[in-house]
């Protein structure tokens, strides 16, 4: 009798999809898979279903940038009904894989891919089960028996040998539902289908704000094109006072999407895993941020864009970020948007990348996996300098959103205010919220808005937010932390109000968001021991060790790493009745 490993995938969104694909592609049958999904549908997850999108919401990646699934997007498009295509204004014959897509349509694609993978699994003799409409409420780990128990309320307790936690997005709710006109996030966006004859405050100006703006603008006016094909916006008669005011710390808009040369995964100018491992070993167990910046950012630029390299070759990370930020901050964000839109149009037309921006995305992706080996000092530098630049440059605002932003701004209904680091928003009991901030002339401001939408994006959740209580109580998982190299720096961080602890050996640690994982995405307990049974690829809960939320390429990469631990190559390749 073949003994099969019993594996649970908890959550059937994009992470669950890529994980399942790894099993199907493994050419093995010595395991059984159970997928638990709280909804009645697989694949779409939060961003590509009604939980995260309306018809007007689009992806920020195009078909050619999507990691390989079963059918290429351009082929799948030809198989869907004309009604669906018409709904999303897509002509299958002229479909261009370099264009972004409506997110709901993309969700249909992901669901279809999950279906195809299930067919392949059946054909290959893989044992699997999908438990739809099933919410996993707790997980208990039994180290001595080598078991994990997945609980479905009080009704069911099911034993597994391994679980992969893919429960994905979670948007904490603070005031929504209690305070009228106050929204803790713009999701699900159907709730923003509101006629609002007054200014609306938005926190944030990146892609989450773009989602809110796309919805609110459609319910309070219309977009149209003039004789020259230029988009303009007209506010509706019923909302003459409608306006959206975005508030952001640095007053910047995301950079416009351009033509990307390489997917992050295929970029071979980056440091290899073994180079990084050797560097960490030689550097007292720490990854140096400067080393990664030099080798995964400046050196590739030296080869591909020598002119830009000349400009930055003598700059360290701080100096580079300051130069790029100063350039952006010195310009009106909508003037810069217009200029970047034109630059990106050329890039797309000529299929030429804007190389330094592409490399910044690649750097962020490359830093993601080894970030847990940074010293606390370097993590603080990363958070303070590089992250703000990365978050504006690699958000990649799609062309149509950029056009809409410019049209809305020209119509006087979209503004962006710089509020610095000390702003705060207070919910008002009568409804809405007051924005408190210091303006650019150093004047204190307090402005009341009847409607407020928090659009900061998916926050990095804390250890305490982790949804499976028993794992926390039994210390199966632990809060993520990074060690300080220098005691002096640790004391400075304490004085700055950072969450720093000291262990019994006297070493100082910075608490970072989420739970501790090792390089294979396995949970790590309080003694630093890895847990062979529990894998975590739900990004909001591992944000400290995995700071870049890069989306589908993350799903692809993390699932590749996890499958190597779950199905090691040298393990008895029990091929069973594999029928390829
Ligand atoms: C608004 C938005 C837009 C985005 N757009 C892009 C984009 O254009 N391109 C890109 O590459 N990336 C994009 N991303 C990144 C995106 O996060 C990932 O691509 C992807 O959604 C992550 O998938 P996931 O499966 O980890 O999480 P989710 O999409 O959140 O899926 C989690 C799944 O688990 C299920 N689940 C949750 N809890 C339980 C439970 N207790 N029991 C059972 N099931 C459960 C949920 O129902 C869901 O199906 C976007 C993110 C957001 C928030």
């Amino acid at each position: 009798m073949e003994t099969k490993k019993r594996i649970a995938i908890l959550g059937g969104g994009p992470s669950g999809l890529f994980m399942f694909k790894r099993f199907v592609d493994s050419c093995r049958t010595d395991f059984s898979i159970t997928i638990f999904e709280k909804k009645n549908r697989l694949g779409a997850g939060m961003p590509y279903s009604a939980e995260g999108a309306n018809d007007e919401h689009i992806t920020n990646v195009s078909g050619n940038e999507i990691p390989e699934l079963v059918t290429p997007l351009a082929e799948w498009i030809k198989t869907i009904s004309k009604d669906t295509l018409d709904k999303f204004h897509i002509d299958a014959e002229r479909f261009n894989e370099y264009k972004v897509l409506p997110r709901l349509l993309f969700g249909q694609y992901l669901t279809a891919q999950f279906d195809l993978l299930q067919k392949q699994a059946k054909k290959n003799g893989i044992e699997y089960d999908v438990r739809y409409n099933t919410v996993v409420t707790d997980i208990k780990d039994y180290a001595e028996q080598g078991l994990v128990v997945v609980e479905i309320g009080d009704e069911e307790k099911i034993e597994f040998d391994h679980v992969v936690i893919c429960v994905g997005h979670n948007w904490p709710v603070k005031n929504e539902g209690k305070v009228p006109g106050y929204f803790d996030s713009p999701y699900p966006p159907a709730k923003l289908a509101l006629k609002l004859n007054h200014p609306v405050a938005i926190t944030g100006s990146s892609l989450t704000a773009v989602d809110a703006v796309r919805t609110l603008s459609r319910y309070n006016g219309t977009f149209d094109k003039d004789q020259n094909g230029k988009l303009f916006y007209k506010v509706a008669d019923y909302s003459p006072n409608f306006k959206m005011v975005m508030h952001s710390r640095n007053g910047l808009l995301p950079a416009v999407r351009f033509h990307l040369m390489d997917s992050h995964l295929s970029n071979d100018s980056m440091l290899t895993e073994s180079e990084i491992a050797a560097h960490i070993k030689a550097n007292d167990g720490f990854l140096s941020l400067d080393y990664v910046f030099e080798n995964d950012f400046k050196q590739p630029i030296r080869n591909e864009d020598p002119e830009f390299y000349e400009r930055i070759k003598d700059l360290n990370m701080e100096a580079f970020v300051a130069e790029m930020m100063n350039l952006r901050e010195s310009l009106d964000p909508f003037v810069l948007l217009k200029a970047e839109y034109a630059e990106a149009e050329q890039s797309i037309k000529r299929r030429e990348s804007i190389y330094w921006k592409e490399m910044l995305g690649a750097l962020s992706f490359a830093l993601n996996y080894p970030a847990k080996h940074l010293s606390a000092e370097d993590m603080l530098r990363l958070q303070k300098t590089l992250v703000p630049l990365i978050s504006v440059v690699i958000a990649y605002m799609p062309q149509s959103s950029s056009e809409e932003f410019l049209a809305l701004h020209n119509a006087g209904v979209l503004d962006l205010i710089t509020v610095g680091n000390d702003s705060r928003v207070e919910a008002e009991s009568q409804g809405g919220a007051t924005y408190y901030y210091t303006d650019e002339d150093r004047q204190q401001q307090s402005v009341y808005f009847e409607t407020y939408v928090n659009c900061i994006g998916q926050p990095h959740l804390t250890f305490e937010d982790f949804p499976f209580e028993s794992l926390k109580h039994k210390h199966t998982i632990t809060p993520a932390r990074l060690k300080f190299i220098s005691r002096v720096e640790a004391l400075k961080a304490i004085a700055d109000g950072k969450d720093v602890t000291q262990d019994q050996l006297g070493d100082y640690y910075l608490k970072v968001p989420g739970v501790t994982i090792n390089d294979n995405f396995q949970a790590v307990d309080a003694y630093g021991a890895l847990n062979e049974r529990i894998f975590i690829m739900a990004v909001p809960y591992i944000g400290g060790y995995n700071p870049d939320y890069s989306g589908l390429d993350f799903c692809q990469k993390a699932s590749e790493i996890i499958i190597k631990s779950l199905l090691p190559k040298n393990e008895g390749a029990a091929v069973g009745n594999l029928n390829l």
Side-chain angles (χ1 to χ4, degrees):
M1 278 266 291
E2 192 182 27
T3 349
K4 292 192 189 246
K5 276 188 192 182
R6 297 161 300 173
I7 297 167
I9 297 177
L10 312 182
S15 294
L17 166 67
F18 278 87
M19 203 58 243
F20 186 60
K21 181 175 190 302
R22 296 284 173 192
F23 286 105
V24 175
D25 289 348
S26 70
C27 297
R28 286 170 58 166
T29 58
D30 54 339
F31 52 80
S32 66
I33 306 281
T34 308
I35 301 164
F36 293 91
E37 169 51 52
K38 75 172 172 197
K39 296 187 284 188
N40 60 1
R41 178 182 171 197
L42 293 175
M46 178 260 159
Y48 315 107
S49 67
E51 275 183 293
N54 282 348
D55 288 353
E56 66 271 15
H57 294 123
I58 50 181
T59 60
N60 67 345
V61 291
S62 52
N64 67 314
E65 291 159 19
I66 295 166
E68 197 186 321
L69 281 158
V70 185
T71 338
L73 195 63
E75 265 177 46
W76 176 78
I77 287 281
K78 292 187 191 140
T79 68
I80 53 178
S81 75
K82 186 167 176 322
D83 285 354
T84 307
L85 289 174
D86 289 349
K87 181 177 164 203
F88 292 112
H89 311 291
I90 287 175
D91 176 350
E93 291 312 311
R94 292 177 51 214
F95 177 77
N96 175 346
E97 62 162 356
Y98 290 93
K99 284 209 164 147
V100 298
L101 279 176
R103 285 216 296 271
L104 291 177
L105 181 66
F106 187 60
Q108 292 185 23
Y109 168 71
L110 295 175
T111 301
Q113 299 305 293
F114 224 133
D115 283 348
L116 289 171
L117 283 169
Q118 288 182 63
K119 288 195 179 114
Q120 280 188 10
K122 236 176 239 159
K123 193 169 153 229
N124 294 358
I126 292 173
E127 204 177 291
Y128 77 92
D129 184 24
V130 183
R131 302 281 310 267
Y132 290 102
N133 304 310
T134 306
V135 181
V136 174
T137 48
D138 205 2
I139 304 170
K140 288 190 177 127
D141 183 47
Y142 296 94
E144 279 168 21
Q145 291 101 310
L147 281 178
V148 195
V149 172
V150 168
E151 295 191 0
I152 314 298
D154 292 331
E155 295 106 61
E156 272 187 277
K157 296 184 192 332
I158 311 163
E159 283 181 8
F160 290 95
D161 299 306
H162 302 275
V163 298
V164 188
I165 300 174
C166 299
V167 293
H169 291 286
N170 180 355
W171 304 83
V173 176
K174 205 168 79 184
N175 294 309
E176 192 171 322
K178 287 185 253 168
V179 178
Y182 189 111
F183 298 97
D184 283 305
S185 82
Y187 306 117
K191 73 187 174 194
L192 295 184
L194 302 169
K195 290 179 179 168
L196 301 171
N197 188 21
H198 54 254
V200 178
I202 290 174
T203 296
S205 57
S206 197
L207 293 182
T208 309
V210 171
D211 277 356
V213 167
R214 285 186 81 110
T215 302
L216 290 168
S217 57
R218 279 165 174 75
Y219 286 88
N220 292 281
T222 44
F223 289 99
D224 213 337
K225 287 201 170 157
D226 68 13
Q227 291 143 333
N228 302 319
K230 195 174 157 208
L231 198 72
F232 68 89
Y233 182 76
K234 191 168 170 299
V235 78
D237 294 340
Y238 51 76
S239 301
N241 299 317
F242 169 70
K243 187 180 169 100
M244 294 166 290
V245 187
M246 297 182 290
H247 301 71
S248 93
R249 279 190 202 156
N250 48 25
L252 299 177
L253 289 172
V256 183
R257 232 187 90 81
F258 51 90
H259 175 75
L260 285 170
M261 201 154 75
D262 270 324
S263 105
H264 301 328
L265 298 163
S266 63
N267 196 318
D268 55 12
S269 55
M270 313 296 281
L271 289 165
T272 62
E273 275 171 34
S274 53
E275 282 169 327
I276 289 180
H279 158 81
I280 291 174
K281 202 168 166 202
N283 195 37
D284 287 336
F286 292 106
L287 174 71
S288 149
L289 186 55
D290 292 324
Y291 171 79
V292 184
F293 183 68
E294 189 61 39
N295 290 287
D296 276 350
F297 183 65
K298 283 168 78 177
Q299 288 312 317
I301 290 176
R302 182 183 196 157
N303 301 329
E304 294 290 337
D305 189 351
E307 209 178 304
F308 190 77
Y309 179 74
E310 275 308 303
R311 245 176 89 188
I312 63 158
K313 70 177 195 294
D314 298 323
L315 303 181
N316 66 8
M317 190 192 75
E318 276 78 3
F320 169 77
V321 172
E323 181 158 327
M324 293 301 129
M325 284 304 231
N326 289 344
L327 192 73
R328 295 187 80 85
E329 283 165 0
S330 61
L331 292 167
D332 175 279
F334 289 95
V335 170
L336 182 62
L337 178 66
K338 199 171 165 197
E340 281 196 329
Y341 177 79
E343 181 190 41
E345 203 174 23
Q346 288 303 316
S347 153
I348 290 170
K349 212 181 267 171
R350 297 185 189 144
R351 302 228 168 128
E352 273 173 17
S353 172
I354 303 171
Y355 200 72
W356 77 267
K357 290 185 181 172
E358 177 157 347
M359 282 318 298
L360 203 58
L363 171 68
S364 176
F365 188 74
L367 261 173
N368 214 8
Y369 302 97
K372 59 181 89 60
H373 301 291
L374 291 172
S375 64
E377 286 91 338
D378 270 353
M379 178 54 86
L380 289 171
R381 288 175 65 208
L382 179 76
Q383 286 168 351
K384 189 168 165 208
T385 54
L386 206 53
V387 167
L389 179 68
I390 284 178
S391 61
V392 292
V393 171
I394 71 165
Y396 301 148
M397 172 134 91
Q399 267 53 37
S400 70
S401 300
S402 312
E403 285 164 16
E404 289 186 9
F405 263 44
L406 290 169
L408 289 163
H409 184 64
N410 289 341
V413 295
L414 182 65
D415 274 339
L416 173 57
I417 291 182
T418 308
V419 291
N421 289 325
D422 59 355
S423 66
R424 65 180 207 282
V425 176
E426 280 181 16
E428 300 292 356
S429 51
Q430 82 273 22
T434 302
Y435 227 112
Y436 296 89
Y437 63 95
T438 312
D439 69 14
E440 286 174 291
D441 300 322
R442 299 191 177 278
Q443 299 299 310
Q444 300 293 317
Q445 299 288 348
S446 65
V447 187
Y448 172 71
F449 291 89
E450 232 175 293
T451 304
Y452 167 74
V453 192
N454 186 346
C455 295
I456 55 160
Q458 170 65 63
H460 283 173
L461 299 172
T462 64
F463 172 78
E464 291 72 25
D465 294 321
F466 199 77
F468 303 117
E469 290 300 322
S470 298
L471 295 182
K472 285 187 280 188
H473 289 154
K474 293 184 167 181
H475 305 290
T476 314
I477 55 169
T478 46
R481 58 182 200 167
L482 293 173
K483 193 172 168 183
F484 277 92
I485 298 175
S486 143
R487 182 172 172 273
V488 176
E489 291 301 320
L491 296 177
K492 261 196 224 159
I494 295 172
D496 281 350
K498 304 278 184 232
D499 195 344
V500 177
T501 51
Q502 195 177 18
D503 71 4
Q504 287 158 331
L505 300 172
D507 289 324
Y508 287 93
Y509 290 85
L510 175 73
K511 187 173 177 195
V512 290
V515 304
T516 313
I517 48 166
N518 70 359
D519 288 330
N520 299 327
F521 293 90
Q522 287 162 308
V524 175
D525 71 13
Y527 303 100
L530 70 90
N531 185 317
E532 288 175 346
R533 296 166 294 287
I534 299 174
F535 294 80
I536 306 170
M537 68 182 282
V539 175
Y541 302 101
I542 51 174
Y545 273 13
N546 202 79
D548 172 87
Y549 206 124
S550 31
L552 296 167
D553 41 11
F554 165 81
C555 300
Q556 157 100 334
K557 174 85 182 169
S559 61
E560 181 190 7
I561 295 172
I562 292 173
I563 199 78
K564 284 185 187 153
S565 297
L566 280 173
L567 302 179
K569 280 234 155 59
N570 54 3
E571 211 179 55
V575 182
N577 56 349
L578 195 65
N579 178 17
L580 290 171

